Amino acid sequence: MQVKCTICDKVEEIENDSPHAKRLRNRRKNIHLCTPCYKRIEENTKKRLDTGKFRFYQETKKVDDYL
Ligand SMILES: [Zn+2]
């Protein structure tokens, strides 16, 4: 199936049977991040956790769901 990155709109092809694909189909609120974005978010999240200002969830839930 094709999924679009929630952040940069890059479309990626992922395995239909992968756990990630199943989650995206079952739970429409689930967001997909391409690998570069995921890595960037992961790093930012760690930094924010370190500083005690964790706002990742609040920022991402405003983004429209591609599915
Ligand atoms: Zn991306």
Side-chain angles (χ1 to χ4, degrees):
M1 68 185 276
Q2 286 196 325
V3 289
K4 191 157 86 170
C5 173
T6 310
I7 292 176
C8 69
D9 287 352
K10 179 187 168 191
V11 176
E12 288 185 325
E13 185 76 33
I14 63 172
E15 293 285 335
N16 275 325
D17 293 336
S18 70
H20 185 50
K22 282 177 186 161
R23 233 178 298 137
L24 285 169
R25 279 198 302 267
N26 292 339
R27 300 176 54 190
R28 299 191 140 239
K29 295 284 184 196
N30 221 318
I31 59 168
H32 170 75
L33 301 179
C34 66
T35 309
C37 286
Y38 182 83
K39 291 236 165 77
R40 203 170 60 225
I41 293 288
E42 195 179 34
E43 279 169 26
N44 287 345
T45 302
K46 277 179 193 157
K47 276 183 214 153
R48 283 175 189 156
L49 279 172
D50 285 346
T51 60
K53 292 177 186 166
F54 184 68
R55 293 171 58 84
F56 170 61
Y57 178 69
Q58 288 176 351
E59 283 166 16
T60 53
K61 72 179 180 181
K62 284 183 282 189
V63 181
D64 283 344
D65 191 354
Y66 172 63
L67 300 171

